[in-house]
Amino acid sequence: MILPTRRRHRRFEASAGTPSGAAGSAAEDASGVRLDLWLWAARFFKTRALAKKAIELGQVRIDGQTLKPSRTVRPGVVLAVERAGERYEVEVRGVAEQRGPASVAQQLYVESEASIAARLAEREKRRFEAQGYQPPETRPNKRQRRLIQALGDLDAL
């Protein structure tokens, strides 16, 4: 009597006994991943939906070109990412399909020195601009309101 052979699960067929996630990062590096997935895995955005929206709004570029979320990202590509008013120039060093800890995400890219310097300079500029205006702690009283109105009308002084 001949017994039917048991089919292996599709996750195990390609890697001969190891799950597809553990097949090795060399296969992932050669194939690349979607841009929105990479941005999420590299922790530039908290969700893939936010990454997709940023890509569609043109906040992620390669050589000044607007992209689609399905664009394949491979190691060596230089991305310009605008997030929260800051601009990052990063080179892709690795790809990942799953979001991991921050220490792993930081190894997926390297930011250029010029980008870091420009971002820090912009942050300092915003900090100094914010120091120039100090909002009052309380509402102005009647006397202070009259003085403020008098500043608008110099003839009243």
Side-chain angles (χ1 to χ4, degrees), residues 28-106:
E28 289 178 355
D29 289 347
S31 64
V33 295
R34 288 174 55 107
L35 178 60
D36 60 343
L37 182 64
W38 186 87
L39 289 169
W40 170 74
R43 294 183 170 258
F44 277 98
F45 297 97
K46 197 166 190 169
T47 64
R48 280 187 67 186
L50 290 174
K52 181 179 177 183
K53 187 175 182 180
I55 295 166
E56 290 171 348
L57 292 175
Q59 295 175 348
V60 180
R61 296 175 175 264
I62 296 177
D63 297 328
Q65 297 177 352
T66 57
L67 307 169
K68 291 184 177 181
S70 61
R71 169 82 181 250
T72 303
V73 176
R74 292 182 174 86
V77 173
V78 178
L79 295 172
V81 181
E82 292 179 35
R83 182 187 64 157
E86 294 184 340
R87 184 178 171 94
Y88 297 84
E89 293 281 337
V90 296
E91 179 185 349
V92 177
R93 287 289 172 101
V95 295
E97 292 184 356
Q98 292 183 347
R99 186 176 174 112
S103 58
V104 173
Q106 290 173 348

Side-chain angles (χ1 to χ4, degrees), residues 87 111-124:
R87 184 178 171 94
E111 187 175 3
S112 67
E113 296 295 327
S115 173
I116 294 171
R119 200 164 36 84
L120 292 176
E122 185 65 28
R123 191 178 292 168
E124 283 292 313

Side-chain angles (χ1 to χ4, degrees), residues 2-25:
I2 300 175
L3 295 174
T5 58
R6 190 172 178 190
R7 289 192 64 195
R8 292 187 138 188
H9 193 273
R10 62 184 159 93
R11 288 190 319 173
F12 292 94
E13 289 176 2
S15 57
T18 59
S20 61
S25 62

